[in-house]
Amino acid sequence: MTGLRLLVDPVDAPLWERRSITVEGAVPGSLVTVRATTPRDGGAWAAQATFLADALGRIDLDADAPVSGDYRTADAMGLFWAQRPEPGTTGTAHPSDPARPLITTLVARAEPGTGHHDAPPARPDGDTAEVTQRLLVDGIARTEVCERGLVGTLFRPDLDGPLPTVIVMNGSGGGVNEARAALYASRGIQAFALGYFRAPGLPRYISRTPLEYFETALDHVIERFDPAGGRPVVSGQSRGGELSLLLAATYPERILGAVAFVPGAFVFGAQGAADPAEGWDGPAWTHRGEPLEHLWHDNAGVTWQPWNDEPAPDRHRDVYVDGLRDHDLAAASRIPIERFAGPVACVSGLDDRAWPSSMASRQVFAALVRHGHDSERLHLDYEDAGHGIDLPHLPATDIDRVHPVSGVHYSNGGTPRGNARAGADSFEGVVAFIHRAAAAASDIPPHTKDDDNDR
């Protein structure tokens, strides 16, 4: 068989599964460009890279770094995480419909005229392959939940229960994170994607969100979904990470474990997701009808705020540093995570530019240690990762953002490669953490994927 051949394995698999991508039949020493294009919400995203064929005319994208293109590291998944929106594309790369698989077309083409200069050059040649990445896999039941005032979607694997169970919550963008919940379900975890604002039937803003809504959700999961260990793990991203820790501290008897992605260690005001009538320094959360004390409430150390699309007074100003100078208010706003005795995991980026999630995670674990916490504590803290630690193998290039509620410009921080590695590694780490938490509480054997998820 002659001619350029593009080989992918597996062709059709869950989103979290890595792919092997190789090229064979190239002219030795020639250049081959591989381009990946994926239709996503709002339009197509694409990445490409050019590789140097070895003496056998072969390229292994996991072993051979590109010599040109959108990324420069040996990683076959680079063609996915390095994708950027094509002209005219809008929105983000995070999938809104987990039932719709992501279909990527890969095109490999020889660069004519390249190759060893003491041998015949490459001629026009090419090959195409198609890759299917699935969020919702076979054997997962999807059920919309609209009871007791709750808005969400349950993803339950077709396995004998009780099952490890997690409540999945979004951050200050609101909505219902069905994509992450569906992916957890593909790994044997029952996942309830819970909306709390910016979803049908719910408020448009995060301002004055009652914790009792989540108390109802916890009770509903315990009573209706048969979670392993009798209680769910709570997990959220950004404001949802802050919320996960706050719920664990407020309702410790109803929660099995907490997983906080890029969290805060303090209760914050509504910030960029605020109701304009309340403002950035209005309360985000209430409990028993009263607003929770928060770090932006008449803070004596804060003379400016970054949620009005204006630059900081100087390049070294950080409102999250300034806010801690009001020691009494910070003490009153701190999430008392030591009230929670169960396992806690935090996922953070050392280059988080939205807020200091690495510092917050370390503050959380320091408080637990000071108070004698003796359950598992897992801190996944990533260099070169920022605030946007998303699902495995999604584009990780969407760093400079416009907030979906306020329209304010901000940076997530991190690098595409760092964010991508954090997304893939943290997913595996959190899956294993949830299974361990459920197993410890219910004496069931921990579920693993080929025993490669234990940390």
Side-chain angles (χ1 to χ4, degrees), residues 91 97 121 147 253 262 275 384 431:
D97 181 5
E147 302 177 57
E253 72 286 349
V262 290
D275 183 336
D384 298 324
V431 165

PDB file of all heavy atoms in Angstrom, residues 91 97 121 147 253 262 275 384 431:
ATOM      1  N   GLY A  91     -19.354  32.368  20.692  1.00  0.00           N
ATOM      2  CA  GLY A  91     -19.557  31.517  21.856  1.00  0.00           C
ATOM      3  C   GLY A  91     -18.297  30.813  22.298  1.00  0.00           C
ATOM      4  O   GLY A  91     -17.188  31.108  21.851  1.00  0.00           O
ATOM      5  N   ASP A  97     -25.003  20.651  24.590  1.00  0.00           N
ATOM      6  CA  ASP A  97     -25.873  19.485  24.429  1.00  0.00           C
ATOM      7  C   ASP A  97     -25.028  18.217  24.491  1.00  0.00           C
ATOM      8  O   ASP A  97     -24.375  17.851  23.513  1.00  0.00           O
ATOM      9  CB  ASP A  97     -26.612  19.565  23.089  1.00  0.00           C
ATOM     10  CG  ASP A  97     -27.549  18.379  22.869  1.00  0.00           C
ATOM     11  OD1 ASP A  97     -27.701  17.550  23.793  1.00  0.00           O
ATOM     12  OD2 ASP A  97     -28.128  18.284  21.766  1.00  0.00           O
ATOM     13  N   PRO A 121      11.565  14.740  -4.114  1.00  0.00           N
ATOM     14  CA  PRO A 121      10.728  15.453  -3.141  1.00  0.00           C
ATOM     15  C   PRO A 121       9.332  14.860  -3.032  1.00  0.00           C
ATOM     16  O   PRO A 121       8.896  14.052  -3.861  1.00  0.00           O
ATOM     17  CB  PRO A 121      10.668  16.862  -3.721  1.00  0.00           C
ATOM     18  CG  PRO A 121      10.744  16.646  -5.197  1.00  0.00           C
ATOM     19  CD  PRO A 121      11.695  15.484  -5.375  1.00  0.00           C
ATOM     20  N   GLU A 147     -38.721  19.515  39.936  1.00  0.00           N
ATOM     21  CA  GLU A 147     -39.538  19.239  41.108  1.00  0.00           C
ATOM     22  C   GLU A 147     -39.059  20.090  42.276  1.00  0.00           C
ATOM     23  O   GLU A 147     -37.883  20.426  42.364  1.00  0.00           O
ATOM     24  CB  GLU A 147     -39.444  17.759  41.509  1.00  0.00           C
ATOM     25  CG  GLU A 147     -39.864  16.776  40.438  1.00  0.00           C
ATOM     26  CD  GLU A 147     -39.660  15.332  40.903  1.00  0.00           C
ATOM     27  OE1 GLU A 147     -40.229  14.956  41.941  1.00  0.00           O
ATOM     28  OE2 GLU A 147     -38.905  14.610  40.227  1.00  0.00           O
ATOM     29  N   GLU A 253     -23.854  17.475  57.463  1.00  0.00           N
ATOM     30  CA  GLU A 253     -24.449  16.154  57.680  1.00  0.00           C
ATOM     31  C   GLU A 253     -25.119  15.616  56.417  1.00  0.00           C
ATOM     32  O   GLU A 253     -25.413  14.422  56.331  1.00  0.00           O
ATOM     33  CB  GLU A 253     -25.469  16.231  58.822  1.00  0.00           C
ATOM     34  CG  GLU A 253     -26.761  16.958  58.498  1.00  0.00           C
ATOM     35  CD  GLU A 253     -26.637  18.474  58.404  1.00  0.00           C
ATOM     36  OE1 GLU A 253     -25.576  19.026  58.794  1.00  0.00           O
ATOM     37  OE2 GLU A 253     -27.598  19.125  57.937  1.00  0.00           O
ATOM     38  N   VAL A 262     -11.292  25.629  41.045  1.00  0.00           N
ATOM     39  CA  VAL A 262     -10.857  27.028  41.094  1.00  0.00           C
ATOM     40  C   VAL A 262     -11.729  27.849  42.056  1.00  0.00           C
ATOM     41  O   VAL A 262     -12.382  28.800  41.666  1.00  0.00           O
ATOM     42  CB  VAL A 262     -10.807  27.661  39.683  1.00  0.00           C
ATOM     43  CG1 VAL A 262      -9.674  27.056  38.886  1.00  0.00           C
ATOM     44  CG2 VAL A 262     -12.120  27.513  38.901  1.00  0.00           C
ATOM     45  N   ASP A 275     -27.044  41.309  39.966  1.00  0.00           N
ATOM     46  CA  ASP A 275     -28.200  42.068  39.513  1.00  0.00           C
ATOM     47  C   ASP A 275     -27.784  43.543  39.513  1.00  0.00           C
ATOM     48  O   ASP A 275     -27.305  44.055  40.530  1.00  0.00           O
ATOM     49  CB  ASP A 275     -29.355  41.847  40.489  1.00  0.00           C
ATOM     50  CG  ASP A 275     -30.638  42.528  40.063  1.00  0.00           C
ATOM     51  OD1 ASP A 275     -30.568  43.514  39.305  1.00  0.00           O
ATOM     52  OD2 ASP A 275     -31.707  42.090  40.513  1.00  0.00           O
ATOM     53  N   ASP A 384       1.027  26.778  35.044  1.00  0.00           N
ATOM     54  CA  ASP A 384       0.624  27.191  33.698  1.00  0.00           C
ATOM     55  C   ASP A 384      -0.867  26.997  33.427  1.00  0.00           C
ATOM     56  O   ASP A 384      -1.293  27.035  32.264  1.00  0.00           O
ATOM     57  CB  ASP A 384       1.443  26.457  32.620  1.00  0.00           C
ATOM     58  CG  ASP A 384       2.926  26.760  32.723  1.00  0.00           C
ATOM     59  OD1 ASP A 384       3.258  27.912  33.055  1.00  0.00           O
ATOM     60  OD2 ASP A 384       3.737  25.853  32.478  1.00  0.00           O
ATOM     61  N   VAL A 431     -12.603  12.008  39.331  1.00  0.00           N
ATOM     62  CA  VAL A 431     -13.349  10.764  39.192  1.00  0.00           C
ATOM     63  C   VAL A 431     -12.900   9.757  40.249  1.00  0.00           C
ATOM     64  O   VAL A 431     -13.713   9.140  40.946  1.00  0.00           O
ATOM     65  CB  VAL A 431     -13.177  10.181  37.776  1.00  0.00           C
ATOM     66  CG1 VAL A 431     -13.625   8.723  37.723  1.00  0.00           C
ATOM     67  CG2 VAL A 431     -13.975  11.001  36.768  1.00  0.00           C
TER      68      VAL A 431
END
